[in-house]
Amino acid sequence: MRLFISLALVGLSSTQPVWASLNDRATSEVPPYILEYAPLVWLHSQETYMPSDIQQQVDHTRPTVNWTVIEGVESPLTLDNLDTLNAFGNTSVYLTSLEGIEANPEPAWFRGIRPDSQGRTGNGTASAIIIADRGNGTVDAFYFYFYAFNKGGRVLGLEFGDHIGDWEHNMIRFVNGTPEAIWFSQHASGQAFTYAAVEKEGNRPYVYSATGTHANYAIAGKHDHTIPGFNLPAGFLLDYTDRGVLWDPVLNVYIYTYDQTTAVFSAVNSRDPVAWLDFNGRWGDDQPPNEPTIFGQAKNVAGPNGPKFKGLDRQLVCPSSPCFVLPFRIFSVNATEVGT
């Protein structure tokens, strides 16, 4: 049994950081339930591309537009000034890897940081929590996870969908401090469940991260995503999840509030960088010129944009409609049966 620290157990005065013993970056300004119900992520037992420090992505890339390096940018680029790139191309800016997506040997930084026995990613920060208060007692907490590299899936022996940079997330909707539903991001879509339906350790939901793609699922096993938003145990486009390495993202995390009216991010802790959240570009390479495609799909594709583009002001638990919040989990298989 892992140790979870609640407000009642910490025993600190109101002038002390309530969550200091769990996460030295959070403060008492964070509602206790945001961390009490924060997801725990099971990385696949054969995962190669682990969670990655967000600043490291900036350190190993250079900003480009149309594969041309941008001149005159601030140096060094950090999470405190990344938004200045918007003036050089806005959404056309890509953080392009120094080595290239097909580099051989593969750069070590692609592989991220393997969580230790406590679930911590060393000194690297690979996650962010964004708290959006919707009013009337409703609060959406977004739990973002960052990976330096996404390894796409294979179909008929062909590989599709590799890209540098990978943002995934869960969102939990709280009403008066009680979790009601949770969203799992999966490729271009995802799934929503009632909080009661998902597997947990204590109060904290388990999330199963698919090997390579890092798509988030509520169960271990095989997941066909040929039809976005469905979770079938067989098909052409399979993700695989199991109980490999347990990652506790809140042990190294940046925490923010988001004003849905003004679209302004604010750091809960003044030491945490904010500017990177306003970066409008992509967190990886553009799709290479003349990249061959089959049925419109390519092996190497463009990197993703960041958290601000993930529906932080969504009305439903899902970022789009129709939105089905499932009260059950299905197609679960024993983790020992899962393979790649």
Side-chain angles (χ1 to χ4, degrees), residues 118-139:
Q118 301 302 310
R120 184 185 296 273
T121 51
N123 294 322
T125 301
S127 59
I129 298 174
I130 299 175
I131 304 165
D133 190 337
R134 299 186 55 80
N136 298 317
T138 300
V139 173

Side-chain angles (χ1 to χ4, degrees), residues 229-241:
F230 281 73
N231 180 16
L232 303 176
F236 289 102
L237 296 175
L238 287 175
D239 276 334
Y240 300 87
T241 63

Side-chain angles (χ1 to χ4, degrees), residues 187-200:
H187 305 284
S189 185
Q191 291 179 297
F193 297 88
T194 63
Y195 171 78
V198 298
E199 184 183 2
K200 308 171 191 70

Side-chain angles (χ1 to χ4, degrees), residues 68-285:
T68 300
V69 176
I70 301 171
E71 303 292 344
V73 301
E74 290 192 29
S75 181
L77 278 172
T78 71
L79 300 183
D80 283 310
N81 62 18
L82 197 65
D83 61 333
T84 61
L85 295 178
N86 295 343
F88 293 88
N90 201 26
T91 57
S92 298
V93 177
Y94 286 79
L95 297 180
T96 302
S97 59
L98 298 176
E99 300 89 344
I101 195 170
E102 294 282 7
N104 188 11
E106 184 179 76
W109 64 273
F110 280 15
R111 307 213 166 193
I113 306 167
R114 183 183 180 88
D116 62 21
S117 60
Q118 301 302 310
R120 184 185 296 273
T121 51
N123 294 322
T125 301
S127 59
I129 298 174
I130 299 175
I131 304 165
D133 190 337
R134 299 186 55 80
N136 298 317
T138 300
V139 173
D140 290 344
F142 294 83
Y143 303 87
F144 282 96
Y145 319 121
F146 184 69
Y147 305 85
F149 188 82
N150 177 99
K151 191 71 168 175
R154 298 186 70 85
V155 180
L156 301 176
L158 300 174
E159 187 172 316
F160 298 96
D162 291 359
H163 55 84
I164 293 176
D166 191 14
W167 282 106
E168 300 292 346
H169 74 279
N170 292 110
M171 188 274 270
I172 300 180
R173 176 156 290 177
F174 296 91
V175 178
N176 297 322
T178 299
E180 289 206 339
I182 179 171
W183 168 259
F184 293 75
S185 69
Q186 300 161 2
H187 305 284
S189 185
Q191 291 179 297
F193 297 88
T194 63
Y195 171 78
V198 298
E199 184 183 2
K200 308 171 191 70
E201 184 170 307
N203 288 331
R204 302 183 66 181
Y206 278 143
V207 177
Y208 291 88
S209 176
T211 180
T213 71
H214 310 121
N216 294 316
Y217 294 94
I219 55 176
K222 299 178 182 180
H223 311 269
D224 176 61
H225 55 94
T226 303
I227 303 174
F230 281 73
N231 180 16
L232 303 176
F236 289 102
L237 296 175
L238 287 175
D239 276 334
Y240 300 87
T241 63
D242 69 9
R243 291 194 175 198
V245 177
L246 189 61
W247 176 31
D248 187 346
V250 305
L251 295 180
N252 303 68
V253 66
Y254 298 133
I255 305 180
Y256 306 92
T257 59
Y258 177 72
D259 187 312
Q260 296 180 327
T261 301
T262 62
V264 170
F265 298 95
S266 300
V268 168
N269 189 316
S270 60
R271 291 175 294 173
D272 290 350
V274 180
W276 66 275
L277 289 167
D278 287 312
F279 171 55
N280 290 335
R282 301 293 194 109
W283 287 78
D285 296 16

Side-chain angles (χ1 to χ4, degrees), residues 37-58:
Y37 296 96
L40 292 162
V41 180
W42 280 110
L43 301 166
H44 194 275
S45 56
Q46 298 179 36
E47 183 59 76
T48 299
Y49 304 101
M50 296 289 175
S52 302
D53 181 71
I54 303 170
Q55 174 63 50
Q56 177 183 258
Q57 196 79 0
V58 179

